[in-house]
Amino acid sequence: MGLSSDWDLAVIGSGIVGLASAYHIARSNPEIKIIVVDKGKTFGQGNTGKSGGAFRDLFAGDINYKLASSSIQFYKHIQNELKVNLGMHFNGYLFLMDQTTDEDRLFEQLMEKVKSRFLTKDELLTLSESLKFDPDIEEGRLMKLKKIERGFFCENCGIFEPE
């Protein structure tokens, strides 16, 4: 039988978007017959399975900080002590900032919890020689960008490689 007579809806792709879409449509419309079609032999072999995930413990709220921090330590233990390669890399999380602002107190409070620090322009240049400190006039106007004066770097943050 053809697709049109057996199914009411075909979802192409079994990644996170396809499966989530099929799930929510089926949940809202239980009478609809849905088929999920994917080029892979099993689920999760497409782009979703190959996308990296970032992690950070930079949260102002205490509960979010504790959840993130303990999760990071758990996965760090698995990778370093149990020797399971999770592709976990600590490459940090960087905020680019303009001159000193009223928000500095928030960053100072974060520094009491997380391993982080302010960076000067010179320190930023050591991270990336291609960093542009002055936005183009049009870019600055459209995106409300200001001149970069410093940075805020959090060290206990990074990525999980998808492979």
Side-chain angles (χ1 to χ4, degrees):
M1 290 187 179
L3 182 64
S4 61
S5 62
D6 293 340
W7 308 100
D8 298 311
L9 175 68
V11 175
I12 310 301
S14 65
I16 190 70
V17 174
L19 291 177
S21 298
Y23 169 80
H24 287 286
I25 292 169
R27 190 169 173 201
S28 299
N29 304 283
E31 72 284 354
I32 292 179
K33 293 188 296 182
I34 300 171
I35 185 171
V36 177
V37 180
D38 194 273
K39 67 181 177 182
K41 293 180 182 178
T42 63
F43 297 120
Q45 292 185 347
N47 291 336
T48 300
K50 294 178 182 167
S51 62
F55 61 88
R56 64 185 171 99
D57 63 355
L58 182 67
F59 292 97
D62 201 44
I63 291 173
N64 286 339
Y65 165 73
K66 286 178 180 177
L67 286 170
S69 182
S70 62
S71 297
I72 291 169
Q73 292 308 311
F74 172 75
Y75 289 115
K76 188 177 179 182
H77 169 76
I78 289 174
Q79 181 162 290
N80 295 345
E81 274 75 56
L82 301 181
K83 305 296 184 204
V84 176
N85 185 4
L86 300 175
M88 186 178 196
H89 299 283
F90 288 84
N91 53 356
Y93 199 95
L94 176 65
F95 289 90
L96 298 175
M97 307 167 76
D98 57 8
Q99 69 276 358
T100 306
T101 65
D102 293 335
E103 296 166 346
D104 280 1
R105 182 66 194 126
L106 171 63
F107 287 105
E108 289 166 4
Q109 288 172 346
L110 289 170
M111 288 171 67
E112 294 172 9
K113 280 194 220 180
V114 299
K115 193 172 180 182
S116 57
R117 66 185 189 278
F118 284 104
L119 299 175
T120 65
K121 268 188 179 182
D122 291 336
E123 290 170 312
L124 288 172
L125 279 172
T126 64
L127 296 175
S128 173
E129 292 178 9
S130 63
L131 186 62
K132 199 167 133 183
F133 289 94
D134 295 310
D136 293 331
I137 293 171
E138 188 63 17
E139 285 176 340
R141 185 183 67 75
L142 287 172
M143 298 172 61
K144 297 184 175 131
L145 298 174
K146 297 179 181 178
K147 187 176 179 179
I148 296 171
E149 299 288 340
R150 62 202 175 118
F152 186 75
F153 184 72
C154 305
E155 296 180 30
N156 200 33
C157 308
I159 62 164
F160 287 101
E161 287 187 18
E163 301 297 323

